[in-house]
Amino acid sequence: MRRLFVIFIGISLLLVVVPQQTSRAQTFRPVVRGKRGVVAGGHPLSVEAGLRILQQGGNAVDAGVATILAASVIEFSHFSFGGEVPILIKLKGKNVAVVEGMGQAPIKATREFFANRRNNNEAPSAPDSAAAQRGSSEVAMPTMAGSKSGLIPSTGPLAATVPAVLDACVTALDQFGTKSLTEVMQPAIELAEGFPIDELRVQYIKTRLPVFSQWPDAVRLFLPNGEVPKVGDMFVQANLARTLREIVAAEKRGAVRDRHTGLMAARDYFYKGTLAKRIGDYMQTHGGLLAAEDLARFHARVGLPVKADYHGYEIYKAGFWTQGPALVETLNLLDGYDLKKMGHNSADYIHILAESLKLALADRDRYYGDPDFVKIPTAELLSKDYAALRRSLIEKEHASLAQQPGDPLNMKAVLASAAPRVSRATAVPENERANDTTCVNVIDKDGNLFSATPSGAWLPAVVAGDTGVLMGQRLQSALTDPNSPNVVAPGKRPRITLTPTLVLKGGEPFMVLSTPGGDNQDQALLQVLLNMIEFGMDPQEAVEAPRFDTQHYVSSFDDHEFLPGSLNVESRISDQIIAELKSRGHKVNVQGPWGTLSSPTVIIYNPKTGVSSAGADPRRGRYAVAW
């Protein structure tokens, strides 16, 4: 039976690489359509795992969790089991829910600790070698800022938060799924026991070697027999396979009583049992702050989303512990323009979107943080009235070079006390920006919706000894500025860039979409949304259309740079448009024709026919399969 699944995937991929003429534009891949469900993600074997669960009678949540777990094994260049994953879920007849799959900072992670590291001029916990870490021209990772600027390291034991993937998956299954963890984890276990490694993973191992070579357990894993694997070699993660089997064994012991008890037994084995102790002891003895007690304190909660109402569509995002609400703010700003009349990717269109994004991201940088620790003016930030005030700041013929957060509490367009931010104005090339994330989207035969953005614990990562679990680096997204709502604190979640998206139309299930891309995730998702809503593109046209993004924000990674006026534009956008943008003051950096790093997948659902239709971005190997 397994062989049939693989053959199906292979046939699907052969189909999607052939250029196809649509009614309006030629695309490299066709729309993938299915009546019984569609799974989209970042690797053929990741989406095969989800498809297998759909074929075994699982719902969208079961399939989505299986896809995440498979990706946590096979997509280790961008995401692994020790990372994090926010999830949006809409079941038939139920409200949209958010599984808050973001781990907390260790209790020992105080602002003073990192400030003292700077003051004492301690060496960073990983080599400060940007060239060694960037490596591939296709993908790249953050450079190591470390103690040279007092920031939190972007690699190494000090960058780790509590691993959140397992608890997020268990919580999703427990409250919204139908399958056992044992069933949905089986594909991941098989992959951990060995899969044929591809070109991208081999390239990552080569280019990240100067960083992970300082950690013997990582060397043993990624350099089997002391050498970089060759493309097509079977890559085995024996320790991780054993850990996953131990987790499902714990579930089976608990499931003798009932399904819920089994799921809780599995999560407790990881977060409160011997695995937690082994992970904590390893981190403590290798220079990290994370301890077993930190894992025991964590639990992924189910929370409420935020929502934008835009032209009859309801766009749902995770809360202010992510950057998701910035998309809501942006759509509220754009509600005052006739974008369709401007024309797709015209100079006016790109300018207005870029200026609106600048304002929304300025609010992100000023106000967003873990709501458990900071009071956020949520209603005011998301209100249409506030957007109308902020819209007045956008000049049609001039690009702003200032960071302009608003004053939502006093309903003023600009916060008077905001200090001007000064930084270099040189754009960072696309191939040198953080982009280590993947995406998972599923719609099943009943129109249940699942959207997730798995990330963290990417290569290079510390491997927690013989557990085989790669540890995350998300603490780098917190700040050491005591006045920031995103300042690092014990038990606090850093505000993350991960931002899945779920859309209803007239209250009916309509769309799920997500993407990798760091700070630029919502910029890509915004353009894909508008491509379909405003310009009537099908899902594949929408993800393949030329894109742009601004870097006019405080980076969530590394040394948290601000690049005023920077605008990256793919070269498929005409020279005339680029010249017009430059004349308005945008600092344009022309990318290759497929140069932006964000690479979404999107699935739409037709409630009348029950057919789901998917698009998968070819920029960086997204895949969609239907049943």
Side-chain angles (χ1 to χ4, degrees):
M1 192 65 173
R2 174 73 186 275
R3 182 174 300 172
L4 293 177
F5 291 126
V6 176
I7 290 172
F8 180 85
I9 294 290
I11 291 172
S12 297
L13 295 180
L14 286 172
L15 288 173
V16 298
V17 296
V18 179
Q20 169 173 297
Q21 183 69 42
T22 67
S23 59
R24 291 178 297 277
Q26 189 176 44
T27 57
F28 280 99
R29 298 176 176 181
V31 175
V32 175
R33 296 182 177 88
K35 176 75 172 178
R36 291 171 287 186
V38 175
V39 183
H43 191 282
L45 296 179
S46 299
V47 296
E48 185 272 336
L51 183 69
R52 192 192 315 184
I53 298 303
L54 286 181
Q55 293 180 323
Q56 292 174 359
N59 68 7
V61 177
D62 301 317
V65 168
T67 307
I68 290 168
L69 293 172
S72 78
V73 175
I74 201 168
E75 298 183 48
F76 58 79
S77 54
H78 297 77
F79 158 65
S80 72
F81 193 68
E84 50 272 346
V85 55
I87 303 170
L88 290 175
I89 295 170
K90 172 68 172 73
L91 294 186
K92 190 174 182 179
K94 304 290 185 181
N95 294 328
V96 177
V98 184
V99 178
E100 298 186 356
M102 178 60 229
Q104 300 154 341
I107 292 300
K108 294 181 180 179
T110 64
R111 191 195 72 83
E112 291 73 20
F113 171 83
F114 292 103
N116 288 338
R117 290 183 75 246
R118 172 196 60 200
N119 295 336
N120 294 334
N121 196 31
E122 294 181 3
S125 62
D128 187 12
S129 174
Q133 295 186 37
R134 289 168 185 165
S136 168
S137 63
E138 185 174 349
V139 289
M141 62 164 293
T143 58
M144 170 65 197
S147 59
K148 68 179 182 180
S149 59
L151 303 182
I152 299 164
S154 59
T155 58
L158 289 175
T161 52
V162 175
V165 170
L166 179 64
D167 200 8
C169 289
V170 167
T171 300
L173 287 176
D174 185 45
Q175 299 198 31
F176 306 100
T178 66
K179 294 289 187 180
S180 68
L181 183 64
T182 300
E183 291 172 293
V184 301
M185 193 176 272
Q186 182 59 32
I189 293 172
E190 294 170 6
L191 291 169
E193 291 170 343
F195 67 89
I197 194 166
D198 61 14
E199 291 82 357
L200 180 59
R201 255 51 66 172
V202 170
Q203 180 71 4
Y204 256 78
I205 291 172
K206 287 179 180 178
T207 58
R208 276 57 178 176
L209 177 57
V211 180
F212 73 73
S213 61
Q214 66 188 306
W215 305 314
D217 293 286
V219 171
R220 281 189 286 272
L221 174 59
F222 295 112
L223 301 180
N225 304 316
E227 297 179 348
V228 174
K230 295 180 177 62
V231 174
D233 284 354
M234 291 301 291
F235 186 76
V236 178
Q237 300 174 72
N239 288 338
L240 180 59
R242 184 179 61 251
T243 291
L244 299 181
R245 287 194 297 267
E246 290 174 1
I247 292 169
V248 300
E251 182 193 35
K252 289 175 180 176
R253 291 192 295 269
V256 171
R257 180 175 173 183
D258 56 50
R259 176 176 176 271
H260 170 77
T261 303
L263 288 168
M264 294 304 102
R267 79 157 305 279
D268 287 349
Y269 182 80
F270 184 86
Y271 289 95
K272 297 180 180 179
T274 57
L275 275 175
K277 185 177 188 307
R278 287 157 60 195
I279 291 171
D281 288 350
Y282 182 92
M283 297 298 283
Q284 292 278 298
T285 57
H286 288 78
L289 301 178
L290 195 71
E293 292 78 8
D294 295 308
L295 276 76
R297 291 186 186 97
F298 176 69
H299 206 306
R301 297 176 302 191
V302 175
L304 297 175
V306 298
K307 182 184 72 167
D309 291 304
Y310 183 82
H311 296 194
Y313 297 85
E314 303 158 49
I315 295 99
Y316 289 87
K317 305 291 289 186
F320 286 86
W321 52 281
T322 74
Q323 72 172 357
L327 181 63
V328 178
E329 289 198 58
T330 305
L331 288 167
N332 286 343
L333 287 163
L334 294 175
D335 217 8
Y337 297 97
D338 189 340
L339 299 179
K340 188 173 183 178
K341 184 178 180 180
M342 291 180 189
H344 183 255
N345 280 351
S346 67
D348 284 346
Y349 179 81
I350 295 173
H351 175 77
I352 292 300
L353 261 64
E355 296 304 295
S356 298
L357 285 162
K358 290 177 185 179
L359 293 176
L361 291 169
D363 278 348
R364 180 201 75 169
D365 296 337
R366 177 72 186 190
Y367 296 107
Y368 294 16
D370 187 345
D372 293 341
F373 285 75
V374 294
K375 186 175 182 180
I376 302 167
T378 58
E380 293 85 355
L381 284 168
L382 301 179
S383 74
K384 298 279 190 180
D385 290 341
Y386 176 66
L389 292 170
R390 299 278 281 157
R391 196 179 299 122
S392 66
L393 299 173
I394 297 175
E395 299 182 49
K396 184 177 180 181
E397 299 299 328
H398 298 283
S400 172
L401 299 182
Q403 192 188 39
Q404 302 181 90
D407 186 355
L409 288 175
N410 295 301
M411 291 301 284
K412 293 183 178 179
V414 180
L415 183 65
S417 62
R421 178 175 289 276
V422 179
S423 185
R424 69 182 180 87
T426 303
V428 177
E430 283 281 352
N431 65 351
E432 296 182 8
R433 289 192 282 159
N435 191 40
D436 296 302
T437 300
T438 188
C439 60
V440 173
N441 293 293
V442 184
I443 299 181
D444 65 22
K445 62 182 176 58
D446 297 315
N448 295 315
L449 308 180
F450 181 98
S451 182
T453 312
S455 187
W458 53 65
L459 195 66
V462 174
V463 181
D466 65 359
T467 69
V469 177
L470 278 64
M471 302 304 294
Q473 308 93 338
R474 190 61 60 175
L475 198 60
Q476 67 174 296
S477 290
L479 302 176
T480 53
D481 178 359
N483 298 314
S484 170
N486 192 32
V487 63
V488 64
K492 184 179 180 182
R493 295 172 291 182
R495 193 273 302 148
I496 59 175
T497 57
L498 310 176
T499 178
T501 311
L502 189 153
V503 183
L504 306 182
K505 183 178 181 182
E508 294 292 325
F510 178 67
M511 186 192 311
V512 284
L513 63 162
S514 58
T515 184
D519 289 288
N520 300 304
Q521 289 178 30
D522 276 316
Q523 301 196 49
L525 297 175
L526 171 69
Q527 291 170 73
V528 171
L529 275 169
L530 295 177
N531 287 346
M532 289 185 281
I533 293 173
E534 296 285 2
F535 300 103
M537 295 185 192
D538 68 38
Q540 192 62 38
E541 290 175 315
V543 297
E544 289 194 23
R547 287 203 298 269
F548 54 89
D549 62 70
T550 178
Q551 292 177 267
H552 186 105
Y553 51 74
V554 178
S555 171
S556 298
F557 305 95
D558 307 331
D559 49 6
H560 304 287
E561 285 184 304
F562 174 68
L563 303 175
S566 172
L567 183 67
N568 294 294
V569 178
E570 288 185 336
S571 62
R572 287 182 290 154
I573 293 172
S574 73
D575 291 341
Q576 179 183 350
I577 299 298
I578 290 170
E580 288 186 42
L581 293 168
K582 288 180 177 179
S583 73
R584 300 186 193 194
H586 294 283
K587 301 180 186 301
V588 178
N589 179 34
V590 180
Q591 306 291 315
W594 301 86
T596 53
L597 288 178
S598 298
S599 49
T601 64
V602 56
I603 311 173
I604 61 173
Y605 179 74
N606 185 331
K608 293 181 180 178
T609 64
V611 172
S612 296
S613 305
D617 196 335
R619 285 173 177 84
R620 278 196 34 233
R622 303 297 103 179
Y623 301 91
V625 293
W627 184 40

